[in-house]
Amino acid sequence: MTATNLTEHTVTVDGKPIFVAESGTGPAVVMLHGGGPGASGVSNYSRNIDVLAQHFRVIVPDMPGYGRSVKGVDQDDPYGYLADMIRGLLDALDIDTAHLIGNSYGGAAALRLALDTPRRVDKLVLMGPVGVGTTRGVPTAGIRSLLSYYGGEGPSRDKLAAFIRTYLVYDGASVPDELIELRYQASIDPEVVANPPARMPSGLTALRTLWRTDFTRDSRLKRLQTPTLVLWGRDDKVNRPSGGPMLLNTMPNAELVMTSHTGHWMQWERAGLFNELVTEFLGPDSRLAHG
């Protein structure tokens, strides 16, 4: 299943291009994709956009560093940079407040935007977000695979297939070859190869960056009033499922749904359930959002 009825355009934010696909009308919902090699907005949410667009104005950017958007991310404060760029996108689209949906890397950007400027975010949906307890344990095998993709002998189709089928989803056989090929071709864009957006912090500021990219070290998290739906696959091999209860127990208005036989890509693996939960949560009469 792929998204249809999309309009595509490029928005200039701080002098840099951000590619955006849109569909539907209603309250604005911005969907921020994950940070795996070759990721893009529409490919990440191909099984969700059409359903959500029946109720909302769905806005799906390619994150900075990916797809058809500007390449390069501020490595000293990556999530802060991403949050600034997405906030700038909202400004450029004349959107005062929006719902934010973020998967992994996009979840970190969404959460940081809400922490920095809570009035701009109506509700948050975080799917296996990166940056939860990351300084409290060694990197997972999935994170190591992601970060090593551009290292060694460089990117390859086999490395990408291994990352997606072994770490991104619960059932690797469910991922079609066409998706692997699409992601691989996007991952070898020369601009991306020259400046991979997802990487381990290094240099003199590495420790500070590591601390800054773990939201459980941010004292604002326990005061963030934004209604938040946390979704996590029990079998996530990229970001530890223990991050779900960590957010639930820290954020005052968080709800948590964890699913079995689900890896890091819940919106793709369990698309029907994801679409139902998110539509209900973001709706005006949501039981989840109002208790």
Side-chain angles (χ1 to χ4, degrees):
M1 188 169 94
T2 57
T4 57
N5 302 318
L6 292 171
T7 60
E8 300 180 343
H9 56 114
T10 299
V11 177
T12 300
V13 177
D14 194 25
K16 304 176 179 109
I18 298 294
F19 173 81
V20 178
E22 292 197 43
S23 186
T25 59
V29 175
V30 181
M31 306 183 77
L32 304 177
H33 66 79
S40 67
V42 172
S43 70
N44 201 98
Y45 292 110
S46 61
R47 295 181 170 183
N48 320 115
I49 294 169
D50 283 352
V51 175
L52 295 182
Q54 295 173 27
H55 308 276
F56 307 102
R57 176 187 177 187
V58 177
I59 300 163
V60 190
D62 286 349
M63 298 277 278
Y66 294 86
R68 287 180 263 180
S69 289
V70 63
K71 301 307 180 285
V73 171
D74 177 1
Q75 294 299 328
D76 284 342
D77 185 16
Y79 306 152
Y81 173 81
L82 296 173
D84 289 347
M85 292 295 284
I86 299 305
R87 188 183 307 104
L89 174 64
L90 293 178
D91 293 341
L93 296 175
D94 200 26
I95 295 171
D96 187 47
T97 62
H99 303 307
L100 298 185
I101 298 174
N103 171 216
S104 194
Y105 193 65
L111 184 51
R112 178 63 183 270
L113 198 160
L115 288 168
D116 289 350
T117 49
R119 72 162 197 86
R120 302 298 299 270
V121 183
D122 287 325
K123 296 175 187 174
L124 272 175
V125 179
L126 304 175
M127 262 179 310
V130 71
V132 182
T134 44
T135 61
R136 303 176 190 273
V138 298
T140 63
I143 288 289
R144 292 198 301 272
S145 174
L146 187 160
L147 294 175
S148 67
Y149 180 73
Y150 290 101
E153 297 177 358
S156 71
R157 195 181 187 285
D158 286 345
K159 283 172 80 171
L160 185 65
F163 169 68
I164 291 179
R165 290 192 164 126
T166 305
Y167 298 111
L168 202 58
V169 297
Y170 177 77
D171 177 12
S174 69
V175 181
D177 288 340
E178 295 79 15
L179 180 57
I180 300 290
E181 184 63 22
L182 181 74
R183 291 280 296 252
Y184 174 61
Q185 291 301 327
S187 78
I188 57 174
D189 179 310
E191 286 188 81
V192 178
V193 174
N195 195 4
R199 65 184 82 169
M200 279 295 287
S202 60
L204 296 175
T205 61
L207 192 58
R208 186 180 69 183
T209 300
L210 279 172
W211 216 253
R212 189 184 270 165
T213 53
D214 184 350
F215 293 105
T216 65
R217 305 287 184 184
D218 191 327
S219 62
R220 299 175 297 174
L221 190 65
K222 63 179 181 292
R223 300 192 299 271
L224 184 65
Q225 298 297 320
T226 307
T228 302
L229 175 62
V230 181
L231 304 173
W232 222 301
R234 187 193 64 189
D235 306 287
D236 191 335
K237 297 176 184 174
V238 177
N239 293 329
R240 288 185 178 84
S242 57
M246 209 176 287
L247 288 177
L248 177 68
N249 293 327
T250 305
M251 302 177 74
N253 289 318
E255 301 280 351
L256 172 64
V257 177
M258 298 191 75
T259 54
S260 62
H261 305 104
T262 311
H264 187 55
W265 226 16
M266 182 183 176
Q267 82 283 4
W268 192 86
E269 298 176 82
R270 305 292 297 277
L273 177 61
F274 171 88
N275 294 338
E276 183 180 343
L277 288 170
V278 170
T279 301
E280 155 68 13
F281 177 71
L282 298 183
D285 302 317
S286 170
R287 295 186 304 276
L288 284 175
H290 300 294

